Amino acid sequence: MEARSNTERHRQRQQKLKEHVDTRVAAATEKKGVLIVFTGNGKGKSTAAFGTATRAVGHGKTVGIAQYIKGQWDNGEYNTLQPLGVEFHIMGTGFTWETQNRESDIQAAQSVWQESKRMLADAHYDLVVLDELTYMLAYRYLDTEEVIAAIVNRPAHQTVIVTGRGCHSQLLELADTVSEVRPVKHAFDNGIQAQAGIDW
Ligand code: ATP
Ligand code: MG
C-alpha cells in the first residue's frame, strides 16, 4: 500500500516536472548562435569547449578553433578534430608563465587574432572556439573593444565559445551562457602528474 502511494507520488511529481519543462521548452522559440563562456579556476573549461566542437562536427557543422597560449606540441583535440576538417590556429608559444618575451607573445597573439577575426566575420563557420582567450585580454595582448566588436558583429547563426579563467566582465555580460567551473579538488595538488588524454 505504502509502496503504491510512493509510486503514485513519484508519478505525480514527474508529471508536474514534465509540464514545467515542456512549458519552458515551448517558450524557447528563438533560434540564433550564442556566446558561451567557460570560466573559473576548476578543470573542464577547454574540455567543455572541445566537447562542444566534437558535437558540432558530428552534426556536419563547420568549426574553427583558435588556441591562445597553447604550447603543447601534442594535443588530443587537434589530433582528433583536425583530420575531420576542423581548422586550428594555435599560438604555440607555451603557457604564459614559461614565456619571457612580451613583444613576441603579443605578435603571436595578434597573428592568431587575425585568423579569429576572419572566422568571426565569415558565415561559413557555425562554431568558433577561442580557447584561453581571457588571458589575452587580461594581459592586454589584444584589444578588448576590438574583440568584443568582432564577437557582436559575427553572423547571427554563429556560436562562439570563449574559455579561460578570470573572464572580462564585458564578455560575461555579453554572453548568453556562462559556466563557472569551481575547483573542488584537483589531482595535481596531490602530486599526480598531468596526463596525455586527460589533461591535454
Ligand atoms: P582542461 O583543458 O583539462 O579542460 P581547463 O581548460 O579547465 O582544463 P586550464 O587552466 O586551461 O583549465 O588548464 C590548463 C592545464 O592545467 C590542463 O592540463 C588542466 O588539466 C590543468 N588544470 C586545470 N585546472 C587545474 C587546477 N585547478 N589545478 C591544477 N591543474 C589544473
Ligand atoms: Mg583550458
Side-chain angles (χ1 to χ4, degrees):
M1 193 62 198
E2 170 110 359
R4 185 174 294 170
S5 77
N6 276 346
T7 306
E8 180 54 21
R9 268 207 301 277
H10 177 77
R11 198 194 63 75
Q12 284 173 0
R13 260 203 313 268
Q14 291 305 99
Q15 175 62 25
K16 260 206 166 133
L17 182 63
K18 179 176 155 36
E19 281 164 17
H20 176 68
V21 173
D22 286 350
T23 309
R24 295 193 59 185
V25 169
T29 52
E30 198 178 346
K31 210 173 163 192
K32 70 175 191 97
V34 289
L35 172 61
I36 303 174
V37 174
F38 294 127
T39 191
N41 296 331
K43 171 174 168 59
K45 301 175 291 293
S46 297
T47 314
F50 289 103
T52 310
T54 306
R55 270 188 180 166
V57 170
H59 287 284
K61 309 271 185 198
T62 301
V63 179
I65 291 174
Q67 282 185 293
Y68 291 89
I69 72 161
K70 191 73 176 187
Q72 289 287 356
W73 52 272
D74 176 28
N75 89 58
E77 50 269 29
Y78 177 87
N79 295 345
T80 303
L81 296 172
Q82 197 270 347
L84 296 175
V86 174
E87 183 181 325
F88 275 75
H89 300 282
I90 305 177
M91 201 162 118
T93 50
F95 295 105
T96 46
W97 54 87
E98 286 175 353
T99 61
Q100 312 190 346
N101 187 331
R102 185 177 157 85
E103 284 313 308
S104 68
D105 274 2
I106 291 175
Q107 248 176 33
Q110 284 291 343
S111 110
V112 175
W113 171 242
Q114 292 313 311
E115 299 292 350
S116 309
K117 209 160 71 168
R118 178 184 53 73
M119 296 191 288
L120 292 168
D122 185 344
H124 178 64
Y125 296 90
D126 300 302
L127 172 64
V128 176
V129 175
L130 305 172
D131 187 36
E132 320 297 351
L133 177 79
T134 59
Y135 307 103
M136 302 301 101
L137 305 182
Y139 280 62
R140 299 187 189 280
Y141 287 0
L142 300 179
D143 181 60
T144 302
E145 297 306 319
E146 188 184 339
V147 169
I148 285 176
I151 292 174
V152 167
N153 295 320
R154 75 189 189 279
H157 77 283
Q158 191 183 83
T159 285
V160 174
I161 300 180
V162 170
T163 82
R165 298 174 192 210
C167 186
H168 194 285
S169 60
Q170 262 176 283
L171 264 184
L172 292 176
E173 267 166 46
L174 189 63
D176 300 285
T177 299
V178 176
S179 294
E180 186 170 350
V181 186
R182 185 172 66 88
V184 177
K185 314 180 172 179
H186 196 288
F188 186 69
D189 298 331
N190 276 323
I192 301 168
Q193 274 184 8
Q195 302 175 44
I198 305 294
D199 296 295
W200 73 84

